[in-house]
Amino acid sequence: MTKGIRMIFCTFAAIVMQILVGQSASAQTQHSSDSFVPIAKYISRGDARSLSSWFAKNLEINILGKVNDCSKRQATQIVRNFFTTYKVKSFTIIHKSGVAPMKYAIGILNAGGQSFRVTLFVRTNEDGNYIQQFTIERE
């Protein structure tokens, strides 16, 4: 192979690799940008502390009809108390919709021998995705 052809071949191979790596990274970014995946994982574990990392600084919590506009810290305690009272068995998201800056998901939580409907509203801002509203109601 001549030096010119070898250089063209190497350049072409580098471009193809960049395209392939870019597509793979794009697919990973799209999957990881679904904030409901880790949120659902923490709910299914009954892990209020990890779930609270997704809470906005101030948010609305509605647990079994008791509505609170509260700080992230207060919301964490309220959710922790719920998970202590109702031991989580499973959580499944059954519906997701919306577009940034506001998306929502509805899920079914089986806890404490009961079934609950969970509604999550997630707001996107320049800092990231945060739960703005969190509701748990009996099915």
Side-chain angles (χ1 to χ4, degrees):
M1 238 190 244
T2 66
K3 187 176 179 180
I5 293 174
R6 190 175 307 145
M7 183 187 279
I8 291 170
F9 177 77
C10 288
T11 303
F12 177 76
I15 291 170
V16 169
M17 288 301 292
Q18 285 178 338
I19 290 170
L20 291 175
V21 169
Q23 286 176 342
S24 174
S26 175
Q28 290 173 358
T29 300
Q30 286 175 354
H31 178 69
S32 66
S33 69
D34 184 357
S35 55
F36 294 115
V37 171
I39 290 170
K41 177 177 71 173
Y42 298 138
I43 293 172
S44 68
R45 292 180 183 170
D47 186 350
R49 186 180 62 79
S50 296
L51 178 63
S52 72
S53 68
W54 289 89
F55 289 169
K57 288 181 183 179
N58 293 292
L59 65 151
E60 181 182 301
I61 296 282
N62 179 344
I63 306 289
L64 304 177
K66 185 171 180 180
V67 180
N68 292 289
D69 287 321
C70 54
S71 69
K72 179 177 183 173
R73 184 175 178 181
Q74 291 168 318
T76 303
Q77 188 60 45
I78 291 167
V79 173
R80 180 179 293 128
N81 290 342
F82 177 84
F83 286 155
T84 300
T85 303
Y86 300 92
K87 183 166 173 47
V88 175
K89 185 173 182 178
S90 66
F91 177 71
T92 305
I93 290 180
I94 58 171
H95 179 74
K96 293 187 269 187
S97 190
V99 295
M102 188 64 90
K103 295 181 181 181
Y104 74 93
I106 299 170
I108 301 298
L109 173 66
N110 292 305
Q114 298 181 45
S115 183
F116 301 92
R117 177 177 296 271
V118 176
T119 306
L120 301 156
F121 285 90
V122 172
R123 179 174 298 280
T124 301
N125 63 32
E126 61 277 353
D127 296 333
N129 299 313
Y130 298 98
I131 298 172
Q132 191 68 50
Q133 188 178 56
F134 184 78
T135 302
I136 300 176
E137 53 195 349
R138 283 193 171 86
E139 274 276 279

